[in-house]
Amino acid sequence: MTRREDGPICRRCYVKDPLVVEECVGCGKTRSPSRRLDDGTALCSNCIPRPERECTRCGTVARHKYNDGGAPLCKNCYQAPKRRCGICGEERAIAARQADGQTDACTRCYRGAKGTCTVCGRFRHGRHAAARDGAFHCMSCWPRPIRKCDDCGEMKPGHTTWPIGDLCSGCYQRRTQVPAPCSVCGRLRVMVARGVGGGEICRACCGIDAPNSCCRQCKAPDDIYDDGRCPRCVLTDRVQDLLSLEDGTVPPPLKPLAAALTDTGNPYAALNWLRRSRSAKLLAELAFPHGEFTHDTLDALPQNEPTRYLRGLLVAAGVLPRRDENLARLELWLANAIGQLPSHQVRVIRAFGEWHVVRDARRRAARGRYTALAATGDIRDIKVAIDFMAWLDAHDIDLRDTAQSDLDRWLVDNSSLHRTAVTFIRWAVARRITSKLAISRPSKRNSSEFLDEQGLHDQLRRCLNDDTVPREARIIGALVRLYAVPVSRIVVLTIDRFHRDENGAYLTLDRHPVLLPPKLAVLIEEQIAQPVTDSRMLQQFRNGNGYLFPGKAPGRPRNVVGTHNLLNQFGLPVLSARNTAMIEAVTNLPPIVVADLFGMHPNTAQRWANYAKDDWSAYLSARMASDE
């Protein structure tokens, strides 16, 4: 019996308040009182006096506090009686009895009492920390001992202990959010242990919690993610809540997206995306009032990373039609820029932007050669034109009256914009919008960064054989060193440009396929089978356009700048290697052949041949003679 102010109460009916803590007279720790003595002092559950008895099942002699029909049981042999949980409805051991209007909570559903955390100040589930004078801590702020993590090997606050060993918070999150195929059953599960051969195995295969590892919704054996359900069932319900209208149904235009989200190969990554991503929050905001999406709907939003990611997701899922995003980016930027200009500038900038820059961009996009860097360059040309017009207004100079001295003065003040300004000035002169101004494009200096022949071959050998370098870096580095292809063109290669026949493996860089070394062909086949991306979210969307190097956003290739940084990180510079490979190519082959194979302009190949002092005039003469 336990004494209260209103009288004695038996142990079964007594429910202690976890938010009330007192100093235990037995151990001196500040804990929730489990029993009070006649003088009103409190005892914690560990200090309640109990006689030493022998466990009727295992024979251990100790102060056992459990019993089975009067027979003493140790804590290892005792099994709490099961009742129906008021939260999940399953028959389980009850961790918190019904009290103060709250239902019974089983050991799986009970998350502790709620209170104000003394560390973060949030009202959350938690408990009192005896090591900190009984202060209430939520579970995120709970003090954890510093231990060596058996996964990463670093000394960090311990988060949990699995059969694999002690895990820190980072390794625990990584393992729970990134499941892997079990080495025993082959299913995609959370790996909690290592087998004899070193392979990692799941919870069910190592015999942990096997009877309780079934989802209460689909009844399939799986990891329990939330509320007694597996990740797949939780993901299905959350996607339904995200995309459904007031009547609880998903609009027909969004059903392909709902199916793609719920059928993803990695439900953990999709759940993390729904919980944390700004794109998911944007999707929720737009899905409820609209129920359907168009490109115009997204064009009206700020063109930031969440909007671009959401657009790629909708296009890859089939909700939106495909379009050339680089061209659309230029057109949308131009429309927004024109709307902010004064009327006298709009007439000139609109004509230059729409009839010169965008028109040329559409021609290149029709040939499939309009890249993200090209769009950035076109936007820069229009920006320089706007800056030049603003400078003329600031100096009270009309564009038609602009003199050569005015242009020279602007070029002196903006020397870094000289090359970019050539496009607008020549366009304005050709259309007689201004006087005949003279401006020349600064000549390109010959490349000065090269590798020696042995250095180029050593880097190529490393790309083909070094397993410590990421696979995508090895493939891109090898293509640069073999065929002098710029990175901006490599990242937009699609998987249909690779094929294998009885003679070998080929990759079509432009119009004609080139023969690949066997080791490089194997790497490309592995990349096609298991593409490496920056994100684990929605892996099936990564190759919506069939890119050989899919990027972080669905349906988009890998970022060019990030690829350059990756290669430099592993000691594979791009510029010097490409220059050296180009010199070797024009030295061993005629420039016109190099242009056809590598997809470059013949003038570019000829300029490199002149730089290498090898113009192949004898080869051209022999071809002309044979044609006659």
Side-chain angles (χ1 to χ4, degrees):
M1 304 293 286
T2 300
R3 294 185 177 276
R4 279 187 172 179
E5 296 179 357
D6 54 353
I9 186 172
C10 68
R11 292 180 60 190
R12 180 171 294 276
C13 297
Y14 173 68
V15 179
K16 62 182 180 180
D17 187 354
L19 297 180
V20 176
V21 293
E22 297 183 27
E23 183 178 353
C24 174
V25 296
C27 61
K29 296 181 180 179
T30 304
R31 310 181 68 178
S32 299
S34 293
R35 183 172 300 180
R36 294 187 182 276
L37 302 179
D38 294 337
D39 57 359
T41 56
L43 288 175
C44 66
S45 59
N46 293 334
C47 295
I48 297 176
R50 300 182 183 90
E52 290 190 353
R53 295 179 294 178
E54 181 180 355
C55 177
T56 56
R57 293 187 182 179
C58 65
T60 303
V61 178
R63 294 177 178 176
H64 303 311
K65 61 179 180 179
Y66 305 107
N67 64 78
D68 182 16
L73 293 175
C74 66
K75 63 179 181 180
N76 295 327
C77 297
Y78 174 75
Q79 292 183 352
K82 295 183 178 181
R83 297 204 307 271
R84 182 174 296 276
C85 175
I87 299 177
C88 65
E90 297 288 333
E91 294 285 341
R92 299 184 183 277
I94 301 301
R97 297 188 181 95
Q98 182 177 2
D100 298 331
Q102 301 294 327
T103 59
D104 291 344
C106 66
T107 54
R108 177 166 290 171
C109 297
Y110 181 64
R111 300 175 60 190
K114 273 192 170 183
T116 302
C117 178
T118 57
V119 178
C120 64
R122 291 179 289 181
F123 189 75
R124 308 180 68 186
H125 292 280
R127 51 182 175 168
H128 294 273
R132 296 185 179 178
D133 299 327
F136 187 83
H137 289 62
C138 67
M139 299 314 297
S140 299
C141 301
W142 184 258
R144 298 179 176 90
I146 303 298
R147 294 179 294 191
K148 181 180 180 180
C149 176
D150 292 318
D151 206 3
C152 65
E154 299 183 9
M155 297 297 295
K156 294 183 178 180
H159 183 85
T160 188
T161 300
W162 281 357
I164 200 173
D166 295 328
L167 296 180
C168 64
S169 178
C171 293
Y172 172 80
Q173 294 292 334
R174 176 179 57 81
R175 284 186 171 269
T176 54
Q177 296 176 8
V178 189
C182 176
S183 60
V184 177
C185 64
R187 297 180 60 198
L188 192 66
R189 302 285 298 273
V190 176
M191 301 294 104
V192 301
R194 287 195 179 97
V196 179
E200 296 191 344
I201 57 179
C202 64
R203 176 184 295 269
C205 293
C206 66
I208 299 178
D209 197 20
N212 299 325
S213 60
C214 293
C215 173
R216 70 176 179 85
Q217 184 171 336
C218 65
K219 307 302 180 183
D222 206 337
D223 298 312
I224 302 303
Y225 186 85
D226 183 46
D227 196 17
R229 297 178 299 167
C230 66
R232 183 74 59 186
C233 292
V234 175
L235 177 62
T236 302
D237 290 347
R238 292 185 180 179
V239 170
Q240 180 76 17
D241 295 339
L242 176 70
L243 302 179
S244 60
L245 300 177
E246 292 181 349
D247 56 358
T249 61
V250 177
L254 296 182
K255 286 185 178 180
L257 177 61
L261 287 170
T262 54
D263 295 341
T264 179
N266 188 349
Y268 292 89
L271 286 167
N272 292 335
W273 180 79
L274 290 174
R275 187 174 67 252
R276 299 178 179 179
S277 175
R278 291 184 296 165
S279 301
K281 295 180 176 62
L282 180 61
L283 175 61
E285 295 173 358
L286 296 177
F288 181 74
H290 294 281
E292 61 179 355
F293 291 89
T294 63
H295 280 296
D296 293 337
T297 303
L298 298 180
D299 288 344
L301 301 175
Q303 298 304 302
N304 48 23
E305 187 62 30
T307 304
R308 289 191 290 268
Y309 189 98
L310 178 59
R311 189 193 300 273
L313 180 64
L314 295 174
V315 170
V319 178
L320 292 179
R322 296 191 182 278
R323 69 177 188 179
D324 193 310
E325 290 300 328
N326 296 323
L327 178 60
R329 170 191 164 205
L330 172 64
E331 295 174 338
L332 184 60
W333 181 91
L334 177 60
N336 293 334
I338 289 177
Q340 301 174 9
L341 297 177
S343 57
H344 67 282
Q345 293 185 11
V346 169
R347 180 176 56 85
V348 177
I349 299 301
R350 175 180 283 127
F352 172 68
E354 293 182 354
W355 293 101
H356 182 74
V357 178
V358 175
R359 185 181 180 184
D360 180 67
R362 287 172 180 162
R363 286 198 296 262
R364 285 183 285 172
R367 300 194 302 266
R369 300 295 294 271
Y370 195 64
T371 63
L373 291 179
T376 302
D378 287 342
I379 291 175
R380 186 167 54 246
D381 289 344
I382 301 175
K383 282 183 176 180
V384 170
I386 295 174
D387 292 343
F388 181 65
M389 295 284 292
W391 184 87
L392 293 178
D393 290 345
H395 292 78
D396 295 328
I397 303 174
D398 188 82
L399 181 61
R400 293 183 178 276
D401 301 330
T402 303
Q404 184 67 43
S405 58
D406 299 328
L407 176 61
D408 294 341
R409 185 154 51 111
W410 182 82
L411 291 176
V412 170
D413 296 338
N414 302 272
S415 58
S416 61
L417 303 179
H418 190 146
R419 180 181 296 276
T420 312
V422 173
T423 304
F424 175 70
I425 298 299
R426 289 182 176 178
W427 172 86
V429 172
R431 280 143 187 85
R432 300 180 181 180
I433 299 176
T434 185
S435 58
K436 291 186 176 181
L437 302 176
I439 183 172
S440 60
R441 192 182 301 273
S443 59
K444 292 184 178 180
R445 292 180 298 178
N446 291 329
S447 300
S448 58
E449 295 187 28
F450 293 93
L451 299 173
D452 55 42
E453 184 177 357
Q454 184 62 38
L456 180 69
H457 293 168
D458 289 343
Q459 290 185 8
L460 177 59
R461 191 176 299 108
R462 184 176 170 219
C463 291
L464 297 177
N465 300 287
D466 191 352
D467 293 335
T468 61
V469 180
R471 185 174 64 232
E472 64 273 22
R474 296 171 62 186
I475 297 174
I476 297 174
L479 292 176
V480 170
R481 284 152 181 80
L482 283 172
Y483 311 113
V485 186
V487 174
S488 59
R489 288 185 49 208
I490 295 177
V491 295
V492 297
L493 292 174
T494 52
I495 59 177
D496 58 353
R497 289 181 170 268
F498 173 84
H499 73 277
R500 181 186 288 273
D501 56 23
E502 63 277 4
N503 298 321
Y506 296 86
L507 182 67
T508 304
L509 298 176
D510 187 48
R511 291 178 296 175
H512 305 288
V514 295
L515 183 64
L516 297 175
K519 290 185 178 180
L520 180 58
V522 172
L523 291 176
I524 293 178
E525 288 176 333
E526 293 177 356
Q527 176 70 11
I528 294 175
Q530 296 179 344
V532 178
T533 64
D534 294 334
S535 174
R536 293 178 291 270
M537 162 59 188
L538 304 176
Q539 194 71 23
Q540 76 274 24
F541 284 156
R542 288 288 171 248
N543 245 357
N545 286 346
Y547 287 118
L548 182 60
F549 303 99
K552 183 177 180 180
R556 300 297 299 272
R558 187 181 178 92
N559 181 267
V560 176
V561 178
T563 304
H564 275 272
N565 295 336
L566 177 66
L567 293 172
N568 291 330
Q569 178 183 351
F570 288 92
L572 298 173
V574 175
L575 181 59
S576 57
R578 182 169 178 259
N579 291 341
T580 308
M582 196 67 207
I583 289 293
E584 286 199 352
V586 297
T587 303
N588 298 319
L589 292 173
I592 189 64
V593 176
V594 174
D596 286 342
L597 285 179
F598 299 168
M600 64 179 60
H601 197 278
N603 292 343
T604 302
Q606 185 60 49
R607 186 168 61 250
W608 275 99
N610 295 337
Y611 184 55
K613 306 301 182 183
D614 197 341
D615 58 3
W616 285 79
S617 57
Y619 170 82
L620 294 178
S621 300
R623 287 295 304 270
M624 293 176 63
S626 63
D627 293 340
E628 296 176 354

